[in-house]
Amino acid sequence: MAPRSLTARRATWSAPGRVNLIGEHTDYNDGLALPFAIPMCTTVHGVARDDAIVRVSSTGRDPIEFGTSTTPGEVFGWGAYVAGVVWAMSTAGHRVPGADLQITSEVPVGAGLSSSAALECAVTLALADLAALDLAAGEIVTIARRAENDFVGAPTGALDQTASMYGRAGHVVCFDARAMSCEAVPCDPEAEGLMLLVIDTGVGHRHAGGEYAQRRAGCADAAAQLGVRSLRALDVESLDRHLARLDVRHRPLVRHVVTENERVRRTVEHLRARRLREVGPLLTESHVSLRDDFAVSIPELDTAVDTALHAGALGARLTGGGFGGSVIALVPRERMDDVVQGVRVEYADRGFATPSFMPVAPSAGAGATSDPTRR
Ligand code: ADP
Ligand code: MG
């Protein structure tokens, strides 16, 4: 990605959050996922400093300050996401200038819409611009992911950062974690009279928490037991044979990952043929697999899915790591009100937190805010 100006002392860059249409808990298994960039962005306005200090402010949070030679363990909390980027850029051999960074964001935090990747990508872009570095999008993904994995300490895959960097209006990003490649696949709900609706349960998820790490370790153990590099090496045709060779406790994890990769492939086929409606049942199958086999759902997510389907959604699933966060539902335009009302009423009846609703169209990826191609 070319810097906006080689002599910039100021730089303003935005990076969007993302929602994953389908392909959950596959990225760290070298698998396939279909995220897309959402219209909500995090924006970083940066001004270069003449010293080696980074000062960061973000709406509603106490400002933080650290040196450009910061290392993991020196900055905690939300500042770790920013300091992690500075550290990851430095360790990649880039000189990072001192800077004042001002952050604003429309991406809900902890809702499974990847406010963390939006923050990391926007910070990387702004600092690269201030340093007159011409970083490729793939390199930015790597820097942002290292910040999250090795500085913040959240063992996530590269899915979120890839979606934020490579998102394109009217398209989902087919991400292949084995090839580390991605391809834009057309997805235009409006053209088919449909809408993609995010239902935020209001229950914050905990990615860095033990549950995510446990599932991840379980998948790695299972791959080792089967003598394959990753679960991507397995296909649905030979799944039963592989399952029979595994510990009983690993079987559901493997069944989810292998069938989920297959659901992504089928979703891509439908999207290419402009049959988004047909994707609905695959979304619901994905949810059932995440609920029953991967065991990452909670009652709030299940209730949103079941109620949305009952009110006319063509399909719905939890999106993001699970244990809270959001549901994505595919809804015919004329059923939107029924779905929103239905979930609202059901949540109130069950005494759950108040949910929020965001219609999301696949949108542009990260870019300079002055870039006219961004919507
Ligand atoms: P998600 O990425 O799904 O929103 P995460 O737990 O991965 O949830 O990341 C959320 C964390 O990222 C927040 O708790 C905060 O530390 C940091 N963060 C995200 N957006 C911002 C922001 N605009 N300002 C400051 N910190 C942010
Ligand atoms: Mg995140």
Side-chain angles (χ1 to χ4, degrees):
M1 179 150 307
R4 200 169 41 138
S5 149
L6 288 180
T7 54
R9 299 289 292 167
R10 293 171 175 275
T12 305
W13 290 79
S14 295
R18 65 97 188 93
V19 67
N20 196 15
L21 181 62
I22 194 163
E24 216 65 75
H25 287 280
T26 46
D27 63 341
Y28 55 83
N29 289 301
D30 277 356
L32 302 169
L34 273 189
F36 62 88
I38 57 175
M40 300 88 158
C41 285
T42 296
T43 299
V44 176
H45 177 64
V47 182
R49 297 170 57 99
D50 292 326
D51 55 19
I53 290 172
V54 181
R55 284 212 176 110
V56 198
S57 64
S58 178
T59 317
R61 297 171 192 264
D62 291 334
I64 51 154
E65 185 178 310
F66 53 85
T68 51
S69 54
T70 180
T71 51
E74 289 178 353
V75 180
F76 297 97
W78 71 272
Y81 291 85
V82 183
V85 166
V86 172
W87 169 79
M89 286 178 79
S90 303
T91 52
H94 303 301
R95 194 194 65 79
V96 182
D100 289 328
L101 304 176
Q102 205 183 321
I103 297 162
T104 52
S105 182
E106 306 149 349
V107 187
V109 168
L113 302 181
S114 211
S115 66
S116 57
L119 175 59
E120 294 147 11
C121 291
V123 168
T124 311
L125 284 160
L127 288 174
D129 193 354
L130 293 178
L133 294 171
D134 189 1
L135 299 184
E139 200 175 348
I140 292 172
V141 168
T142 304
I143 287 168
R145 182 192 179 180
R146 278 208 78 196
E148 185 143 352
N149 289 174
D150 301 335
F151 201 107
V152 176
T156 55
L159 172 85
D160 301 350
Q161 294 84 0
T162 301
S164 187
M165 289 305 301
Y166 289 95
R168 186 169 147 197
H171 293 75
V172 293
V173 178
C174 183
F175 174 58
D176 181 334
R178 181 167 60 184
M180 278 304 276
S181 66
C182 60
E183 195 185 342
V185 177
C187 176
D188 184 0
E190 212 184 313
E192 291 187 47
L194 303 174
M195 296 185 85
L196 287 163
L197 176 69
V198 167
I199 306 167
D200 178 1
T201 62
V203 182
H205 69 95
R206 278 282 148 260
H207 251 191
E211 297 279 7
Y212 181 95
Q214 225 177 50
R215 299 300 183 285
R216 202 176 163 142
C219 291
D221 281 357
Q225 253 184 46
L226 293 170
V228 292
R229 227 188 81 123
S230 73
L231 298 183
R232 177 67 183 280
L234 314 178
D235 53 36
V236 272
E237 286 75 28
S238 46
L239 180 58
D240 288 343
R241 191 160 45 81
H242 296 303
L243 292 181
R245 292 173 53 211
L246 278 171
D247 271 11
V248 176
R249 72 196 160 98
H250 285 140
R251 286 180 193 168
L253 294 181
V254 172
R255 190 164 46 225
H256 167 72
V257 173
V258 174
T259 58
E260 186 78 350
N261 281 330
E262 184 59 20
R263 282 186 284 274
V264 174
R265 286 191 199 96
R266 288 167 57 199
T267 301
V268 169
E269 279 171 24
H270 287 312
L271 291 178
R272 288 200 198 289
R274 303 291 200 274
R275 295 188 304 247
L276 180 55
R277 269 173 190 276
E278 309 291 324
V279 171
L282 294 168
L283 300 183
T284 308
E285 278 175 36
S286 169
H287 183 76
V288 170
S289 177
L290 287 160
R291 183 191 66 197
D292 298 347
D293 275 346
F294 220 69
V296 292
S297 194
I298 57 170
E300 283 86 345
L301 291 164
D302 294 338
T303 299
V305 167
D306 294 345
T307 311
L309 292 173
H310 187 71
L314 301 173
R317 59 182 288 276
L318 73 84
T319 182
F323 303 108
S326 299
V327 157
I328 182 165
L330 179 64
V331 187
R333 207 173 15 226
E334 66 279 9
R335 305 305 288 272
M336 272 293 275
D337 289 348
D338 295 343
V339 169
V340 169
Q341 241 348 74
V343 174
R344 246 190 214 131
V345 168
E346 193 63 32
Y347 264 48
D349 283 355
R350 292 181 185 236
F352 291 163
T354 309
S356 24
F357 302 88
M358 289 164 274
V360 285
S363 303
T369 48
S370 55
D371 183 344
T373 62
R374 276 197 56 75
R375 288 195 339 190

